[in-house]
Amino acid sequence: MLQAPDFLTIGHVTRDLRPDGSFTLGGTVTFAALTAYRLGLAAGIVTCADPELISQLPTFLPSIALHARQSAQSTTFVNQYQEGFRTQYLRARGESLQVSDVPQDWLEAPVVLLGPLAQELAPDFVQLFRRRQGAIIAATPQGWLRRWDADGRVWPTPWQDALRVLPFLDVLILSHDDLLPFANGNRQEADAILAQWSLHVPLLIATDGRHGATLFRHGETQRFAAYTITEVDPTGAGDVFAAAFLTHLYRHGDPARAVDFANSTASFSVERQGIEGIPTLELVEERMRTYGRLR
């Protein structure tokens, strides 16, 4: 029997390759679970990876509950950044996850984040969890918005199952940039897509890097300024934002305050490499206090 964590996230852990051939542990589930834990929640991950990486996960994630199925290989990315834009290559892909991979007792986790990276979660996952008062079912859909060519280069692809998934979610969180390829690079057209999606889900949040984030509630928008920092590594910032937003929403129930809290949390994550920048609750609140945003 595995006790349900407060915060459950599902998707592939990844090897993010460095230029020297070494790797850092990545993936939405990695950044999100660590963020929730450092903000004070018990966190758990359902994933699959190769046996060697699975054996290393307790060292990388010593305080995170893990349920990992073995796969012949782990999802492996190369991320290249230039002038704020990322070119990404998929070098290997783990097996798709199955609904049976989720421990029965974990189905009652009060906060669930679906974090696909490479089309590894079928739309059926969203119906696995019982809707109930006080619980939150959320998704970051970047992995449903990706395809890759024969060379492994990752390209955007339309989210074909959006209208099948959104009605079963409480929260959708994504990057504004994820939709620009489908809006001819026009931000107003991207906002129109987001506004349309927001009619099918109670809360939708679009992050936009140094421009902050926008909260959509049934088509109505509210914008929140970012925190001014020096960016070192943007990898995982959106996942940190998502986990921070959900953690604050779960505790306090105020979406607007949760967005600002998440902006503060994500600002720390880009100041250092990989998972090293994920802050504690005390650091997040101190930065908010410095900016005069803590109430």
Side-chain angles (χ1 to χ4, degrees):
M1 298 282 285
L2 296 170
Q3 182 177 353
D6 301 322
F7 185 102
L8 170 61
T9 183
I10 305 172
H12 281 164
V13 293
T14 68
R15 297 176 187 266
D16 290 350
L17 296 182
R18 297 184 176 119
D20 64 2
S22 64
F23 76 94
T24 58
L25 186 68
T28 293
V29 295
T30 296
F31 285 93
L34 278 172
T35 300
Y37 169 73
R38 290 183 183 172
L39 295 176
L41 296 184
I45 292 173
V46 172
T47 192
C48 70
D50 67 80
E52 180 181 5
L53 185 57
I54 287 177
S55 71
Q56 296 172 326
L57 288 180
T59 301
F60 283 119
L61 305 167
S63 302
I64 308 301
L66 299 166
H67 190 78
R69 173 166 55 84
Q70 289 191 3
S71 174
Q73 55 189 4
S74 298
T75 294
T76 303
F77 285 108
V78 173
N79 297 306
Q80 300 172 352
Y81 292 96
Q82 188 172 9
E83 296 181 0
F85 293 96
R86 179 172 69 177
T87 302
Q88 189 172 55
Y89 290 87
L90 180 66
R91 295 307 187 201
R93 181 184 178 275
E95 296 174 8
S96 293
L97 288 159
Q98 307 298 321
V99 294
S100 58
D101 291 325
V102 184
Q104 192 69 27
D105 290 347
W106 285 16
L107 297 177
E108 295 301 308
V111 183
V112 176
L113 175 63
L114 303 178
L117 291 176
Q119 301 286 354
E120 74 269 28
L121 299 183
D124 301 351
F125 266 90
V126 78
Q127 299 184 51
L128 187 60
F129 302 92
R130 183 170 59 93
R131 306 294 290 276
R132 62 195 192 278
Q133 186 70 30
I136 303 169
I137 302 171
T140 53
Q142 61 179 326
W144 290 322
L145 289 160
R146 286 175 174 161
R147 63 177 178 85
W148 47 94
D149 60 25
D151 294 325
R153 174 135 183 209
V154 175
W155 299 95
T157 192
W159 185 14
Q160 302 288 359
D161 295 308
L163 296 185
R164 288 178 56 194
V165 171
L166 291 173
F168 293 94
L169 294 175
D170 300 300
V171 182
L172 183 75
I173 305 171
L174 72 164
S175 168
H176 201 279
D177 288 347
D178 289 337
L179 289 185
L180 287 178
F182 315 113
N184 300 312
N186 185 300
R187 290 184 175 275
Q188 289 183 332
E189 289 186 28
D191 279 346
I193 297 172
L194 293 167
Q196 181 60 35
W197 282 358
S198 78
L199 300 178
H200 302 275
V201 60
L203 298 172
L204 186 155
I205 304 92
T207 61
D208 198 8
R210 65 180 182 278
H211 302 296
T214 304
L215 172 63
F216 292 78
R217 287 191 260 197
H218 302 290
E220 299 296 323
T221 62
Q222 188 175 359
R223 302 189 186 279
F224 297 82
Y227 287 72
T228 304
I229 45 80
T230 299
E231 182 178 294
V232 173
D233 180 12
T235 303
D239 306 319
V240 171
F241 177 99
F245 174 86
L246 295 171
T247 297
H248 195 281
L249 183 69
Y250 170 61
R251 284 175 168 157
H252 304 288
D254 185 329
R257 291 180 63 190
V259 173
D260 193 53
F261 178 86
N263 271 337
S264 176
T265 308
S267 73
F268 284 93
S269 74
V270 302
E271 291 181 312
R272 300 177 67 183
Q273 294 287 339
I275 60 178
E276 297 175 2
I278 299 174
T280 62
L281 177 62
E282 291 75 20
L283 286 171
V284 174
E285 291 184 340
E286 178 58 31
R287 179 160 290 180
M288 295 177 72
R289 191 175 294 112
T290 299
Y291 276 72
R293 297 191 194 176
L294 187 64
R295 290 184 289 159

